[in-house]
Amino acid sequence: MSSAYAADLPQACVGCTTEDAKEAARQMLLKDIPVSVWTDKTDYGHNDKIMVEGQVANTSGFPITITVVSPLNSIVTIDQVNVADDGSFKTTLNTAGGMWKYDGTYTIRVNYGSTEKSNSVQVELSGGVVTGETPSKMCSTNEITIGDNCVPFSISGGTVTGATINTNDNSIVISINAKEDGQLTITPSKTIIDGIFMVLVDGEEWDDKEIVANKVTVMFPAGAEKIEIIGTYVIPEFGAIAAMILAVAIISIIAVSAKSRLSIMPRY
């Protein structure tokens, strides 16, 4: 389905005021589109407020679910907004904060209880971190970025080139360039990984290592490229957002179930 921006709406009512144009557009959208959504602008900075408005064709008592997806295809925020008696809804999104730091296209999706009643609009953010560049938060020379955290390490015989979180295996994966036999010592906090019990070097279980609480020392051979530290827990990349999604899903299921039960109750 196509979506509409506020800037496009006056075309539906040439010569009208902005409010008249919006009302004319709403009436047109009601005929063909179950859910419409638009924003007050198409381009924003990273400390702006995005005004989101929309209209549903037929109200059913449910709230609108709004999900924002970043240029990196990660969920920025998720929320529910009540629908007015006339089918309209509106909310404000604040672009300040770490989840909005990347420049590019953000997709604002709205859903009204089913995939058939959904729509989206896209906005551009600029003036922040260009996708693919190093974030503005920099770690010191003896620290490496893991997620949004700076983790202390030391290495001999090579260099550390990067690190990622593997939530499937409860591990952190450290990329290295080993020019000769060497040693890596790293101490991630327990908020990042806990219960460390195994180390892999280039995919093979490694015995030449020492694990003391969360301090891990690994002796690696020349030519090694990857050291994986496995624990019983690793921080999810979007833990807070995942919890929000679960909460919204549960609320939606309860609301739909309750309304369904009410609809089949006999009337006297």
Side-chain angles (χ1 to χ4, degrees):
M1 291 181 182
S2 61
S3 54
Y5 290 101
D8 299 328
L9 297 180
Q11 298 175 6
C13 185
V14 178
C16 298
T17 65
T18 301
E19 291 303 318
D20 290 338
K22 285 185 178 181
E23 183 57 33
R26 287 192 186 105
Q27 296 305 317
M28 294 174 63
L29 290 168
L30 280 172
K31 297 177 181 179
D32 302 313
I33 303 176
V35 182
S36 62
V37 60
W38 60 86
T39 56
D40 57 329
K41 297 189 299 181
T42 59
D43 299 284
Y44 299 87
H46 287 271
N47 287 292
D48 290 342
K49 288 182 171 59
I50 302 174
M51 303 297 296
V52 180
E53 296 184 70
Q55 185 82 28
V56 301
N58 298 291
T59 59
S60 56
F62 300 121
I64 283 282
T65 299
I66 296 180
T67 306
V68 181
V69 180
S70 78
L72 301 180
N73 202 33
S74 61
I75 295 176
V76 174
T77 187
I78 185 168
D79 197 8
Q80 288 191 323
V81 178
N82 290 327
V83 177
D85 292 339
D86 63 356
S88 65
F89 62 90
K90 62 181 178 180
T91 189
T92 301
L93 302 173
N94 191 342
T95 64
M99 299 298 291
W100 297 84
K101 65 186 177 184
Y102 291 103
D103 288 352
T105 303
Y106 286 74
T107 302
I108 303 171
R109 299 172 181 167
V110 296
N111 182 278
Y112 196 50
S114 67
T115 55
E116 291 79 14
K117 297 180 179 180
S118 62
N119 211 329
S120 65
V121 66
Q122 293 183 329
V123 297
E124 294 289 327
L125 265 65
S126 59
V129 178
V130 177
T131 305
E133 288 188 355
T134 303
S136 56
K137 179 184 177 182
M138 297 291 291
C139 298
S140 64
T141 55
N142 62 339
E143 294 178 322
I144 187 171
T145 302
I146 299 180
D148 291 326
N149 303 275
C150 292
V151 177
F153 78 96
S154 63
I155 190 171
S156 62
T159 57
V160 173
T161 59
T164 58
I165 296 172
N166 184 342
T167 54
N168 292 329
D169 295 332
N170 290 330
S171 66
I172 55 177
V173 181
I174 304 162
S175 299
I176 65 172
N177 181 11
K179 298 179 180 179
E180 57 187 26
D181 293 352
Q183 175 179 297
L184 169 71
T185 299
I186 187 167
T187 312
S189 69
K190 290 190 175 183
T191 58
I192 299 174
I193 188 171
D194 197 12
I196 298 172
F197 64 91
M198 183 182 295
V199 172
L200 305 180
V201 175
D202 290 339
E204 296 184 4
E205 187 173 349
W206 204 250
D207 294 327
D208 201 1
K209 87 303 186 166
E210 182 180 74
I211 302 173
V212 180
N214 262 46
K215 182 179 180 180
V216 181
T217 301
V218 184
M219 279 61 73
F220 56 81
E225 297 179 347
K226 183 173 68 175
I227 296 175
E228 185 167 7
I229 299 172
I230 303 173
T232 57
Y233 162 84
V234 70
I235 183 174
E237 289 184 275
F238 308 106
I241 296 297
M244 291 171 61
I245 295 172
L246 177 60
V248 169
I250 292 173
I251 291 171
S252 299
I253 291 170
I254 292 173
V256 171
S257 299
K259 196 166 186 69
S260 298
R261 287 198 299 270
L262 288 173
S263 65
I264 62 175
M265 289 180 63
R267 297 182 180 180
Y268 300 98

